[in-house]
Amino acid sequence: MAPDAPTIEVTAGDGKVSYKLTDPSGASDITGYKILYRTGSAAFVEKEVSAKTGDINSLTNGSEYEFKAQAKNEMGYGKESAVVKATPKTA
């Protein structure tokens, strides 16, 4: 069975957003994550990551972005997290 949704927290920076992922409760054998992000009504961009913390770079300051995440195990990607928002800004 694919995992339940992880929790994602985001913090805006200068041209980037830092993320922190928390595994779904009861999840073991998580092998990776996918972060999906977009601005406006654009299609979501997918970024596969292995670390629970990191940065999404090359974002436009002053534009609000939406972020959500999925966890992966040997069965594939699971449910998507709730959407969170952040707006990068000049330091």
Side-chain angles (χ1 to χ4, degrees), residues 2-73:
D4 283 334
T7 301
I8 183 170
E9 297 174 42
V10 293
T11 304
D14 187 357
K16 69 178 183 177
V17 166
S18 299
Y19 67 85
K20 178 182 175 187
L21 300 170
T22 304
D23 287 340
S25 61
S28 58
D29 66 0
I30 298 294
T31 58
Y33 305 91
K34 185 188 299 179
I35 296 176
L36 302 96
Y37 63 97
R38 71 177 179 185
T39 184
S41 59
F44 278 95
V45 175
E46 298 181 1
K47 178 176 176 142
E48 291 193 23
V49 298
S50 57
K52 291 184 186 182
T53 60
D55 296 327
I56 305 292
N57 296 301
S58 301
L59 302 180
T60 303
N61 286 336
S63 294
E64 182 179 68
Y65 287 82
E66 295 180 336
F67 297 86
K68 57 186 177 179
Q70 293 174 280
K72 178 173 80 170
N73 63 15

